[in-house]
């Protein structure tokens, strides 16, 4: 494949690296060239990833950006390794979120979905989706996502809808989908059941009310119970105590009169009750509390629902009917107090309350007639697939959490009282008939036939995503080539919701299709990344206001800087703290690569066959051996999904070894006709391989540099480097290490003496021949900024450096090289900076609130900064004391 003629690769590098000037055009060039379009008929080995579908209503946040950077790194590397790669994009219809958006628009227009009717409302939703939804695609292009846009899918498109209806029909016919009255998470604002993942729990300060059942006389039978939701006592059908609690033994089996309804409610014994908590007695409201519901089933208690869909009290026959649940909470408490049944003053009580993530309101546990998936068999299969190794979870440490979830999963409520979504394909007849209609079956018609009004939970359709997006239930070329998918990349926080559902549905569908066990899982590897946190270690969220718009970083620092920052911290299961300083550091790294390559081109670096190793210098052999080791290390890290370690290895090799050392050591060799050609070839080769290794995480800058350096078509389709297997030259590496140590120690000594880094100092070096460094003497004197001594040389200072084979003595004449007053001012300024850093880090580490809540890696980072500042304060004070003596 070749790029279009109207967008040729640049013939030369610009003056400086400006990401905004190249990224958009470069990405479009890749897309137009068809690099990201997968060929299902290819004979190359397959590698496939499906994009976790973002909500059509949303935009990419920093967590998305990290996922996308990791997935793009995986797919770009595999493409370079010769795989036929499919990275399949798409979006989720986001039932609740999308319906809420459109309903708000209708409210602003003075109408509602109920006034429009179902069909007209759905037309409005589709209209919104086509005109306003899907801005995420443009954002993905800005990030450089190498997805196959020709296969973009949507959970409500025709093919995926067919898959949803097919799997529903299979499950229903197999008795795994049923309808029952059960307790669900209920949103009064949405007037719908919502899923567990759409409920977030937070501590709130409520009030604990202790109320008295039975006689108001202390010497007559009575029980005191406490509750934070006193309005639910209108639906109480029992009071429960522990069977071994002697305080209530005489009451077990008796009944007490309800204060408002006049019903007689029994006192029951159940071992669930904790006799040590509170009074040891609890009120039981089966229709409005999950634990009470289970107890109600055990004791066959009545389960009256006392609230309607909007959260208003109903059906109690009391004065509270018609009140909002929160209004009733106050009214019931006051009425109980008037009866003398509030036995203690209300008191603040902090407790965890579930809130709807979409509306922000407290959810209401509510008994409701809903559709469920029976999950026992499906969940066991999902657990077995990990146990027997068909799917591997990375990191392995999260496997116990997987098993804890799938081994104890409750039946899944899949119906939602919404209009936007996949409508449940169940039809009810006039004589009580219930018919499930498959995709190729005609729905029953005639008088009295109606379709179930509910739609399916969004997680139902997204649970089919890995295979429905490839054309299932049809047996397509894509399924044959790319399914099961290779890797799933997602956050560990939705391991139990989305991942478990995909695993259950994937295994169930494969069983129905007759797939072999090895090909039954929807993905072979699951890479679980951690959460994004800010620089202080706090989880990024809209409510905290500490989120970062990834496109803001793209605008300010470039897409490569964003991607490298996020990928550098993406190790399995580990949370990542990021701030602007991290993105700025990554931007500097991109600039460093740009400048290094530009310097190499200015010195006529070439890419081609390397000279024989015996013709190369020690630095040339050393850097080639280090490059070989880095290729092996990076391959291992990528294969183990340790992206952060791969990036760290590449960063330090590129910056510390290639730029800071090899390029400097090479300058003397480039100036020598005997070594110049070999060094140009080595330098070109090293940069060629380095840019290939970095391309998956920094595609734009590497593509720009590599195409100019090599004249190649594109890194997207270039070959991934492999280690040469050449036995490393340990002797050359030792000599280079000794030269580095000698240069570093001389530089440090000069700095301590206050000699300006740019100033050359006369010096006499003894012992280079004994240390086996005569071949590197030119590099030592050049990089340490030393000059040959004159005849009248008189040393004013000296330093001894112990190397591998011998001690080298460097005598220097530093007379007249130090401006004492200027040096003192410089040191005092540096001292103030380090004292401030020391004070700040010490105060932060002394703050127990910070150290107890911040992630361990953040605390360790602060400790390291403190230690560095302490060492600098001591060094600078010692130097100031020495200056005072001059």
């Amino acid at each position: 494949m070749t790029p279009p003629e109207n967008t040729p690769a640049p013939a030369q590098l610009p003056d400086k690296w400006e990401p905004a000037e190249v990224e958009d055009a470069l990405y479009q060039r890749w897309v137009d060239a068809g690099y990201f379009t997968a060929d299902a008929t290819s004979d190359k080995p397959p590698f496939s990833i499906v994009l976790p579908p973002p909500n059509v209503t949303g935009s990419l946040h920093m967590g998305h950006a990290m996922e996308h950077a990791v997935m793009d790194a995986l797919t770009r590397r595999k493409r370079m390794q010769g795989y036929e790669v499919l990275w399949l994009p798409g979006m989720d219809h986001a039932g609740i979120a999308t319906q809420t958006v459109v309903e708000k628009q209708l409210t602003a227009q003075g109408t509602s979905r109920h006034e429009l009717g179902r069909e007209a409302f759905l037309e409005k939703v589709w209209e919104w989706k086509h005109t306003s939804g899907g801005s995420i695609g443009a954002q993905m292009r800005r990030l450089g996502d190498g997805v196959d846009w020709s296969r973009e899918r949507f959970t409500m498109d025709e093919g995926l809808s067919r898959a949803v209806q097919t799997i529903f029909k299979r499950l229903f016919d197999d008795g795994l989908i049923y309808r029952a009255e059960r307790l669900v998470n209920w949103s009064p604002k949405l007037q719908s059941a919502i899923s567990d993942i759409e409920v977030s729990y937070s501590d709130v300060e409520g009030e604990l009310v202790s109320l008295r059942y039975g006689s108001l006389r202390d010497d007559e039978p009575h029980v005191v119970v406490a509750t934070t939701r006193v309005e639910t006592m209108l639906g109480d059908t029992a009071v429960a105590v522990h069977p071994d609690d002697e305080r209530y033994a005489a009451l077990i089996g008796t009944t007490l009169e309800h204060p408002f309804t006049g019903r007689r409610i029994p006192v029951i014994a159940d071992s669930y009750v904790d006799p040590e908590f509170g009074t040891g007695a609890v009120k039981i409201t089966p229709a409005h509390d999950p634990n009470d519901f289970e107890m109600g089933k055990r004791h066959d208690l009545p389960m009256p629902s006392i609230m309607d869909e909007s959260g208003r009290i109903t059906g109690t026959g009391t004065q509270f009917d018609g009140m909002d649940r929160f209004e009733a909470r106050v009214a019931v408490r006051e009425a109980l107090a008037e009866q003398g049944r509030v036995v203690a003053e209300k008191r603040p009580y902090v407790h965890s309350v579930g809130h709807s993530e979409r509306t922000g309101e407290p959810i209401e546990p509510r008994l409701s007639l809903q559709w469920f998936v029976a999950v026992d068999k499906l969940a066991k299969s999902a657990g077995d697939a990990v146990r027997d190794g068909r799917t591997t979870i990375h990191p392995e440490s999260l496997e116990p959490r997987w098993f804890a979830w799938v081994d104890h999963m409750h039946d899944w409520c899949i119906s939602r009282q919404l209009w936007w979504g996949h409508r449940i394909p169940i039809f009810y007849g006039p004589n009580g008939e219930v018919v499930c209609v498959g995709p190729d079956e005609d729905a029953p018609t005639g008088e009295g036939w109606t379709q179930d009004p509910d739609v399916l939970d969004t997680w139902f359709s997204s649970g089919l995503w890995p295979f429905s997006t490839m054309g299932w239930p049809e047996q397509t070329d894509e399924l044959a080539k790319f399914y099961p998918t290779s890797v799933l990349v997602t956050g560990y926080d939705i391991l139990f919701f989305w991942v478990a559902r995909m695993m259950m549905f994937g295994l169930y569908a494969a069983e129905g299709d007759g797939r072999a066990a090895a090909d039954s899982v929807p993905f072979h590897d699951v890479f679980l990344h951690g959460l994004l946190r800010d620089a202080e270690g706090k989880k990024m969220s809209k409510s905290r206001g500490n989120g970062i718009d990834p496109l803001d970083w793209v605008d300010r620092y470039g897409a490569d800087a964003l991607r490298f920052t996020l990928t550098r911290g993406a190790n399995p299961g580990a949370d990542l703290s990021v701030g602007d300083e991290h993105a700025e550091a990554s931007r500097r790294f991109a600039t460093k690569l740009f400048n290094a390559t530009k310097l190499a081109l200015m010195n006529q670096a070439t890419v081609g066959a390397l000279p024989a190793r015996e013709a190369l210098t020690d630095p040339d052999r050393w850097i080639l051996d280090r490059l070989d080791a880095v290729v092996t290390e990076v391959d291992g890290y990528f294969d183990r999904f340790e992206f952060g370690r791969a990036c760290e290895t590449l960063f330090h090799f590129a910056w510390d070894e290639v730029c800071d050392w090899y390029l400097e050591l090479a300058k003397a060799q480039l100036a020598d006709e005997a070594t110049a050609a070999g060094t140009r070839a080595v330098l070109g080769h090293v940069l060629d391989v380095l840019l290939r290794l970095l391309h998956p995480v920094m595609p734009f800058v590497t593509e720009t540099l590599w195409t100019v350096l090599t004249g190649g078509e594109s890194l997207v389709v270039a070959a991934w480097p492999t280690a040469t297997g050449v036995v490393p030259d340990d002797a050359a590496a030792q000599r280079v290490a000794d030269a580095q140590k000698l240069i570093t120690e001389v530089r440090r000594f000069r700095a301590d003496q206050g000699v300006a880094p740019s100033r050359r100092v006369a010096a006499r070096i003894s012992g280079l021949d004994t240390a086996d460094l005569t071949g590197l003497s030119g590099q030592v004197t050049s990089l340490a900024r030393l000059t040959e001594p004159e005849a009248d040389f008189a040393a004013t200072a000296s330093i001894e450096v112990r190397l591998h084979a011998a001690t080298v003595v460097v005598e220097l004449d530093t007379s007249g090289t130090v401006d004492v007053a200027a040096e003192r001012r410089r040191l005092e300024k540096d001292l103030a900076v380090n004292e401030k850093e020391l004070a700040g880090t010490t105060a932060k580490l002394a703050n127990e609130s910070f150290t107890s809540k911040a992630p361990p890696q953040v605390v360790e980072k602060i400790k390291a900064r403190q230690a560095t500042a302490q060492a600098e304060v001591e060094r600078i004070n010692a130097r100031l004391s020495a200056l005072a003596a001059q």
Side-chain angles (χ1 to χ4, degrees):
M1 291 179 286
T2 58
E5 294 182 3
N6 61 342
T7 55
Q12 61 182 19
L13 295 179
D15 293 335
K16 59 180 180 178
W17 177 237
E18 294 289 354
E21 295 181 3
V22 301
E23 288 177 349
D24 289 347
L26 198 50
Y27 183 80
Q28 193 58 48
R29 173 175 171 261
W30 293 331
V31 173
D32 292 343
Y35 294 150
F36 305 141
T37 303
D39 181 0
T41 65
S42 166
D43 58 2
K44 296 178 182 178
F47 182 85
S48 57
I49 295 180
V50 291
L51 178 77
N55 287 351
V56 68
T57 58
S59 60
L60 294 183
H61 55 62
M62 214 51 139
H64 289 130
M66 179 166 70
E67 278 186 358
H68 288 221
V70 166
M71 286 183 278
D72 201 33
L74 284 168
T75 54
R76 285 180 183 269
R77 174 174 175 256
K78 286 297 183 179
R79 192 178 291 111
M80 295 172 74
Q81 287 181 315
Y83 287 76
E84 189 62 42
V85 172
L86 170 62
W87 183 14
L88 195 151
M91 288 181 290
D92 192 284
H93 65 278
I96 292 175
T98 304
Q99 179 159 319
T100 300
V101 167
V102 178
E103 285 202 76
K104 285 181 179 179
Q105 292 178 351
L106 294 177
T107 300
Q109 297 166 11
T111 186
S112 70
R113 66 180 169 111
H114 297 289
E115 289 184 20
L116 287 179
R118 187 168 193 141
E119 295 306 316
F121 173 74
L122 291 178
E123 288 178 8
K124 288 287 186 183
V125 181
W126 278 108
E127 180 182 315
W128 175 87
K129 189 266 180 185
H130 291 308
T131 58
S132 303
S135 62
I136 284 175
Q139 295 173 307
M140 290 170 61
R141 287 173 165 84
R142 295 288 308 281
L143 297 181
D145 288 358
V147 298
D148 185 346
W149 291 110
S150 70
R151 288 181 167 87
E152 185 176 10
R153 304 305 299 269
F154 180 56
T155 50
M156 287 284 287
D157 68 27
E158 183 179 351
L160 271 67
S161 295
R162 179 178 178 83
V164 168
Q165 197 171 356
T166 299
I167 203 83
F168 188 100
K169 172 71 172 174
R170 282 194 189 179
L171 289 164
F172 182 86
D173 289 348
D174 286 346
L176 296 177
I177 283 182
Y178 64 93
R179 197 182 192 204
E181 194 172 40
R182 296 283 178 83
L183 210 64
V184 296
N185 299 316
W186 187 265
S187 166
K189 286 187 178 179
L190 295 170
Q191 297 188 22
S192 174
I194 60 176
S195 70
D196 291 338
I197 199 172
E198 289 158 340
V199 178
S200 59
Y201 288 85
S202 59
D203 288 341
V204 300
E205 186 172 302
E207 60 180 40
L208 190 65
V209 176
S210 296
L211 65 98
R212 182 174 184 138
Y213 270 108
S215 176
L216 295 176
R217 291 174 56 94
D218 290 344
D219 59 351
E220 293 180 352
H222 67 276
V223 177
V224 174
V225 296
T227 179
T228 58
R229 302 172 64 225
V230 70
E231 73 282 2
T232 64
M233 65 87 61
L234 297 171
D236 283 357
T237 57
V239 171
V241 297
H242 194 277
D244 298 330
D245 194 333
E246 294 182 358
R247 293 172 295 176
Y248 302 111
L251 284 176
I252 296 173
T254 65
T255 61
L256 302 170
E257 184 177 356
H258 191 282
F260 300 117
T261 67
R263 293 194 314 268
R264 303 293 298 185
I265 64 174
V267 178
I268 62 174
D270 195 289
S271 58
Y272 171 79
V273 179
D274 181 1
E276 303 298 324
F277 182 78
T279 64
V282 294
K283 58 187 287 299
I284 305 301
T285 319
H288 293 277
D289 182 272
N291 296 317
D292 292 4
F293 176 74
E294 295 300 325
M295 198 180 299
K297 288 196 298 183
R298 288 197 295 272
H299 295 270
D300 196 26
L301 296 175
M303 298 186 182
S305 181
I306 62 164
M307 293 183 201
D308 65 13
E309 292 86 351
S310 62
R312 291 190 172 274
I313 305 299
T314 186
T316 68
T318 68
Q319 69 267 36
F320 310 109
D321 282 355
M323 290 185 183
D324 174 79
R325 55 182 172 153
F326 301 115
E327 179 186 1
R329 182 171 298 174
V330 176
V332 169
R333 176 175 50 77
E334 290 177 346
L336 287 169
E338 288 178 4
Q339 292 184 18
R341 294 191 178 278
V342 176
V343 301
E345 289 296 322
K346 64 176 182 176
R347 55 189 176 89
Y349 183 76
V350 176
H351 59 124
S352 181
V353 175
H355 291 75
S356 167
E357 287 195 339
R358 295 298 175 191
T359 62
E361 65 179 327
I363 61 106
E364 186 65 43
R366 182 171 183 268
L367 196 61
S368 178
L369 186 62
Q370 303 285 346
W371 285 96
F372 292 86
V373 172
V375 299
D376 283 352
K377 176 185 174 183
L378 303 175
K380 181 181 184 303
S381 297
D384 291 345
V386 174
R387 287 187 176 95
D388 63 27
R390 280 175 287 158
T391 293
T392 303
I393 293 177
H394 308 268
E396 186 179 354
S397 60
L398 287 178
E399 282 190 2
R401 294 176 63 180
W402 170 261
F403 296 131
W405 176 256
V406 298
D407 291 347
H408 303 92
M409 191 181 294
H410 298 294
D411 284 1
W412 170 22
C413 175
I414 56 172
S415 46
R416 299 291 178 265
Q417 289 64 55
L418 305 172
W419 287 356
W420 172 245
H422 295 99
R423 192 166 177 180
I424 290 177
I426 294 288
F427 289 79
Y428 305 107
N431 298 312
E433 302 96 333
V434 178
V435 176
C436 181
V437 177
D440 297 316
E441 299 173 350
D442 294 328
T445 59
E447 185 177 351
W449 281 95
T450 59
Q451 184 174 359
D452 194 293
D454 291 350
V455 300
L456 289 166
D457 178 13
T458 299
W459 296 97
F460 192 96
S461 54
S462 61
L464 312 180
W465 188 251
F467 53 95
S468 64
T469 51
M470 296 188 198
W472 187 91
E474 306 302 324
Q475 296 306 305
T476 63
D477 289 342
E478 282 77 12
L479 278 171
K481 180 71 174 180
F482 296 112
Y483 189 82
T485 62
S486 305
V487 185
L488 174 72
V489 177
T490 191
Y492 65 67
D493 53 330
I494 61 172
L495 171 65
F496 319 121
F497 298 101
W498 186 45
V499 182
R501 282 152 173 72
M502 286 190 290
M503 186 73 87
M504 291 191 302
F505 280 167
L507 292 165
Y508 177 76
E511 180 182 345
D513 293 345
R515 277 183 174 265
D519 293 332
S520 62
V521 292
F523 22 74
H524 292 302
D525 289 284
V526 178
F527 169 71
L528 299 169
H529 62 74
L531 303 178
L532 261 292
R533 300 182 182 275
D534 63 18
E536 297 300 318
K538 296 177 182 177
K539 181 182 176 181
M540 288 187 182
S541 68
K542 290 181 180 179
S543 60
R544 285 194 177 93
N546 62 345
I548 300 172
D549 183 349
L551 293 193
D552 177 52
W553 273 14
V554 172
D555 291 336
R556 292 161 60 191
Y557 309 111
D560 288 325
L562 167 74
R563 293 165 59 113
F564 189 76
T565 299
L566 298 177
T567 314
R568 193 176 181 182
N571 283 314
D575 290 353
L576 169 63
S577 295
V578 294
D580 284 351
E581 68 275 16
H582 301 98
E584 178 57 42
S586 297
R587 165 65 192 257
R588 289 197 299 270
F589 181 46
T591 301
K592 188 83 167 179
L593 293 171
F594 182 86
N595 292 338
T597 306
K598 193 162 190 176
L599 177 65
L601 290 169
M602 290 171 59
N603 284 277
Q604 289 82 51
T606 59
V607 177
L610 290 171
R613 280 183 62 93
E614 57 269 19
L616 299 175
T617 66
D618 283 347
D620 290 340
R621 289 195 294 275
W622 162 72
I623 199 64
L624 288 174
D625 292 343
R626 284 293 304 128
L627 179 65
D628 232 20
V630 166
V631 169
T632 300
E633 288 177 36
V634 169
D635 265 336
Y637 289 138
F638 267 114
D639 288 342
R640 295 190 298 273
F641 304 101
E642 295 176 349
F643 304 100
R645 292 186 176 182
C647 289
E648 282 296 305
T649 297
L650 288 168
F651 174 85
H652 288 293
F653 175 70
W655 194 298
D656 302 342
E657 297 182 274
V658 175
C659 296
D660 285 359
W661 281 113
Y662 180 69
L663 280 176
E664 296 302 315
L665 292 169
K667 287 178 181 177
Q669 298 173 177
L670 291 168
D672 185 342
E673 188 175 334
T675 56
T679 298
R680 290 191 188 103
V682 171
L683 180 54
H685 175 77
V686 169
L687 289 173
D688 171 25
V689 174
L690 176 60
L691 294 172
R692 292 173 193 253
L693 292 172
L694 280 165
H695 179 72
V697 291
M698 303 182 78
F700 293 104
V701 69
T702 54
E703 175 87 340
T704 302
L705 298 175
W706 186 85
T707 51
V708 174
L709 176 70
T710 67
E713 176 188 333
S714 172
L715 266 177
V716 180
V717 290
W720 180 255
T722 55
T724 65
V726 172
V727 177
D729 189 336
D730 294 335
Q734 184 61 64
R735 287 190 289 270
V736 170
D738 282 346
Q740 290 173 330
K741 181 178 180 181
L742 178 57
I743 293 165
T744 300
E745 291 300 322
V746 173
R747 285 173 170 173
R748 182 179 293 117
F749 183 77
R750 286 167 52 108
D752 287 343
Q753 295 298 311
V755 179
S758 60
R759 183 153 187 166
R760 292 192 173 274
V761 177
R764 181 167 53 225
I765 305 178
S766 305
L768 284 179
D769 53 346
T770 308
D772 197 21
L773 289 182
T774 52
L776 290 166
S777 60
Q779 285 95 328
V780 169
T781 56
S782 174
L783 297 184
R785 306 296 288 174
L786 304 178
T787 62
E788 291 292 325
E790 302 289 341
D792 58 350
F793 173 80
T796 61
S798 66
I799 177 177
E800 292 185 356
V801 182
R802 176 64 188 173
L803 303 179
H804 176 69
T807 297
V808 172
V809 178
V810 183
E811 299 172 280
L812 304 95
D813 178 9
T814 60
S815 57
T817 62
V818 180
D819 182 336
V820 175
E823 178 65 6
R824 182 178 290 111
R825 288 193 298 273
R826 183 186 71 82
L827 289 170
E828 288 172 344
K829 183 177 180 181
D830 288 349
L831 179 63
V833 170
N834 282 278
E835 286 177 336
K836 182 178 180 180
E837 170 76 350
L838 180 60
T841 53
T842 301
K844 185 163 287 188
L845 292 171
N847 184 345
E848 186 177 351
S849 176
F850 169 77
T851 56
S852 62
K853 296 179 181 178
Q857 63 268 27
V858 173
V859 176
E860 289 303 315
K861 182 179 177 181
I862 300 297
K863 286 181 178 179
R865 286 170 50 192
Q866 181 193 44
T868 300
Q870 180 67 47
E872 280 298 285
V873 167
E874 293 173 0
R875 183 189 68 79
I876 295 170
N877 278 325
R879 178 60 184 150
L880 285 169
S881 297
L883 283 178
Q886 292 185 13

